[in-house]
Amino acid sequence: MSAYAEPDVSDAANEPSIATPSLLDAVRDLRRDVLATSFPLEIAGIDDARTSRARLLDQLSDHLLPRLEELSAPAVVVLAGSTGAGKSTLLNSLLGAEISEAGVLRPTTRRPVIAHHPDDGELLATHPVLEAVTVVPHELVPRGIALLDAPDLDSVLWSNRATAHRLLEAADLWLFVTTAARYGDALPWKVLAGAMERGASVAMVLNRVPRDSLTTVRGDLLLRLRGRGMQGVPLFVVPDVGPHEGLLEPAAVAPIKRWLTMLAGPDRARSVIARTLRGSLGALRPWVDTQAEAVQNQVDAAAALRDAIEIALSDPAHVARETVLAGAVADGQVRARWTELSAPGGPLARVLRPSGRIGGIHRGGRAREVALEALLDDLRRSAAVNLAGAGYLAERALRTQLSEQGAPDGGPALVDSWSDEDRRTAREEHAEANAAEWIGMADPGVASLLGSSERGVAKRAAKIVRSIGAHGLAAVVLAAATGLRPADRLLKDLLSGAADPLRDALREALLERIQSHITSEGAALTALLDVPDLADDASSRLRLRLAVLKGLA
């Protein structure tokens, strides 16, 4: 009823130990660096990379490190398979006791069970998988092995599937249980292929085989195993006993029980442990290399995204600059306020007499200043609106560049990571603060005119300040800087061009702030790329660990 290949243990006692302190340190360092690695960009292949990383961490945490730290711990034999394969019944039958709940109607949240000989408890006590399983000491478990009944690989509950795969990564030997009705399913072969890839020791139980087709089914399965290069995998066949409850007859599981007892011998168990350990260490090399390539793909994608961000901002920067130069800040309320101030009877109506001499120097100066302070408020609000508008323009350009057809890999998810509400609030607050700073820049400029070394300029500026106030003069200069022509003409009449450098400096300062708002949009997006896992040398950390492993294993 069985066919299996024995591990070669003739030289087991003389095999040199591979669990050197240097190797243990290298695996610890590798686990630390894999744990620190993330894949922040949603690019092609990212799901596979994250799944591979999770499996690698399970392999390092639950198998390699515990095994390298304690080679004498029992060999962990994981019974794995699909729903209804009979894993729990098999385990119970091997031990002659109901220690693992069996039956297809059991709760899907059922906790896995690991059974070990009582004398092996101390050696197994620190194994990390114990936190996820129910531990059952049992006298009939051969010393040197521990039998772990894992959840169904195809469980309807994702957490059960994840636990099953984690426990398989922890195994020194996989005892895969399938049935005559389901051994052709894709899942068993996918799982077995994964075991072979990581160099695990594998055995197989073909359960519930009808007696009249036993030879045919067994032969077909052996052919399938041989066709996948798995002809050395031990195979056990358990005949179908029909509907039943409880344990299988001892004779039905006797070949498996004898094999496990033999396997538990010191030399044989150590041979299986060493073979799986070597296989796992060998499998780490392409595995880690693939992870390093995935990290490099992230780095390359981040570089392409940075280039795309820079390109996306060029047009809005040009448009925003030209809009401001065309007088956008002066439009609307600013222009309306100026019309009101300069209308007949308005505060500015008598500031400049037809003769060209400044009028109203001693009369109504404070009232004019107060009136012009309203213009300052309008200028501040209009500047803030235009600054925020430049940010909105840049955001739209970035979303288009990174989301539409032809966008670089990872672009759509990157722009989706922006919080619209948070960004809107931050953008408007930034614009308000920046506009207020810009308005404030006029006061030192007015002071410099009053303190000018050119006697005529200082004298004329002082007369203007007495007529419209320092804030009033600042409002006229700022309005001229926005491109409001009547304000510019008045400024020239008042100061004969002496204030032109101040006007130009304020205009340039406004343009710089517009550019700053556009740049800050790109910077906010680029900041999401400024993480260690997207640095130019991010993959070198894993490649270094890989080089160390190659030298030691």
Side-chain angles (χ1 to χ4, degrees), residues 375-458:
L375 178 62
L376 283 177
D377 286 340
D378 294 334
L379 285 163
R380 177 184 53 77
R381 284 192 291 269
S382 183
V385 168
N386 279 267
L387 288 168
Y392 283 114
L393 187 65
E395 181 186 356
R396 287 197 299 270
L398 287 167
R399 289 191 182 279
T400 299
Q401 181 80 13
L402 298 179
S403 298
E404 294 190 350
Q405 187 174 6
D409 202 7
L414 184 65
V415 294
D416 284 347
S417 65
W418 272 351
S419 169
D420 290 340
E421 189 61 36
D422 290 347
R423 286 213 53 71
R424 184 180 299 111
T425 300
R427 181 187 293 122
E428 292 175 356
E429 289 177 352
H430 185 205
E432 290 284 349
N434 230 341
E437 287 179 7
W438 178 68
I439 294 294
M441 290 178 66
D443 289 337
V446 169
S448 70
L449 290 172
L450 290 169
S452 174
S453 59
E454 296 183 31
R455 181 176 176 81
V457 172

Side-chain angles (χ1 to χ4, degrees), residues 31 69 334 412:
R31 182 191 177 278
E69 289 168 350
V334 171

Side-chain angles (χ1 to χ4, degrees), residues 149-327:
D149 181 15
D152 301 329
L153 291 166
D154 58 353
S155 171
V156 296
L157 197 62
W158 176 87
S159 59
N160 275 0
R161 299 196 303 274
T163 299
H165 285 284
R166 176 193 172 186
L167 296 178
L168 280 173
E169 295 298 341
D172 294 298
L173 184 144
W174 296 20
L175 187 57
F176 193 86
V177 184
T178 187
T179 65
R182 299 195 60 182
Y183 74 89
D185 292 354
L187 180 62
W189 298 105
K190 181 180 179 181
V191 173
L192 288 170
M196 302 305 288
E197 284 177 6
R198 84 156 177 83
S201 298
V202 176
M204 196 166 187
V205 175
L206 183 61
N207 198 13
R208 301 191 187 125
V209 183
R211 294 185 183 275
D212 57 358
S213 59
L214 191 150
T215 302
T216 302
V217 172
R218 177 177 172 277
D220 182 58
L221 180 53
L222 286 171
L223 285 174
R224 290 172 183 255
L225 289 168
R226 190 175 299 115
R228 290 168 171 79
M230 301 171 66
Q231 59 272 16
V233 170
L235 172 62
F236 300 91
V237 178
V238 179
D240 187 13
V241 296
H244 76 288
E245 293 183 3
L247 308 180
L248 298 172
E249 290 293 329
V253 297
I256 306 173
K257 189 171 183 178
R258 284 195 301 270
W259 179 73
L260 288 172
T261 302
M262 180 176 56
L263 189 71
D267 289 342
R268 293 178 183 272
R270 193 170 81 169
S271 176
V272 170
I273 289 170
R275 186 171 68 246
T276 298
L277 185 57
R278 283 194 174 88
S280 297
L281 289 169
L284 282 182
R285 300 171 193 174
W287 204 343
V288 175
D289 191 51
T290 299
Q291 286 284 284
E293 285 297 324
V295 172
Q296 188 59 48
N297 289 341
Q298 292 267 309
V299 173
D300 295 342
L305 287 168
R306 290 188 181 95
D307 290 343
I309 289 170
E310 184 175 350
I311 292 170
L313 294 178
S314 59
D315 280 349
H318 175 74
V319 170
R321 180 182 178 87
E322 293 302 310
T323 300
V324 170
L325 289 175

Side-chain angles (χ1 to χ4, degrees), residues 6-246:
E6 286 289 339
D8 182 5
V9 296
S10 57
D11 296 324
N14 299 319
E15 287 181 355
S17 172
I18 60 172
T20 64
S22 296
L23 179 58
L24 178 57
D25 288 342
V27 173
R28 283 173 175 159
D29 290 344
L30 174 61
R31 182 191 177 278
R32 180 197 64 214
D33 289 343
V34 172
L35 187 62
T37 298
S38 67
F39 301 100
L41 294 180
E42 300 295 328
I43 63 175
I46 189 62
D47 289 340
D48 289 343
R50 287 171 177 158
T51 299
S52 180
R53 173 184 174 274
R55 281 195 61 208
L56 178 56
L57 281 173
D58 287 344
Q59 173 68 187
L60 293 168
S61 302
D62 295 334
H63 177 243
L64 282 172
L65 281 176
R67 181 52 66 197
L68 288 170
E69 289 168 350
E70 186 55 85
L71 274 176
S72 59
V76 177
V77 180
V78 174
L79 283 73
S82 304
T83 302
K87 303 182 301 298
S88 299
T89 297
L90 178 62
L91 176 62
N92 294 337
S93 300
L94 288 169
L95 301 181
E98 295 277 356
I99 67 165
S100 183
E101 186 179 359
V104 295
L105 297 180
R106 66 184 177 222
T108 57
T109 55
R110 168 186 166 275
R111 191 171 171 84
V113 172
I114 189 169
H116 65 82
H117 193 280
D119 293 341
D120 283 337
E122 186 174 346
L123 290 172
L124 200 63
T126 59
H127 201 295
V129 299
L130 296 192
E131 66 188 23
V133 302
T134 297
V135 182
V136 179
H138 197 281
E139 293 285 350
L140 290 184
V141 180
R143 284 211 63 185
I145 65 171
L147 300 175
L148 201 165
D149 181 15
D152 301 329
L153 291 166
D154 58 353
S155 171
V156 296
L157 197 62
W158 176 87
S159 59
N160 275 0
R161 299 196 303 274
T163 299
H165 285 284
R166 176 193 172 186
L167 296 178
L168 280 173
E169 295 298 341
D172 294 298
L173 184 144
W174 296 20
L175 187 57
F176 193 86
V177 184
T178 187
T179 65
R182 299 195 60 182
Y183 74 89
D185 292 354
L187 180 62
W189 298 105
K190 181 180 179 181
V191 173
L192 288 170
M196 302 305 288
E197 284 177 6
R198 84 156 177 83
S201 298
V202 176
M204 196 166 187
V205 175
L206 183 61
N207 198 13
R208 301 191 187 125
V209 183
R211 294 185 183 275
D212 57 358
S213 59
L214 191 150
T215 302
T216 302
V217 172
R218 177 177 172 277
D220 182 58
L221 180 53
L222 286 171
L223 285 174
R224 290 172 183 255
L225 289 168
R226 190 175 299 115
R228 290 168 171 79
M230 301 171 66
Q231 59 272 16
V233 170
L235 172 62
F236 300 91
V237 178
V238 179
D240 187 13
V241 296
H244 76 288
E245 293 183 3

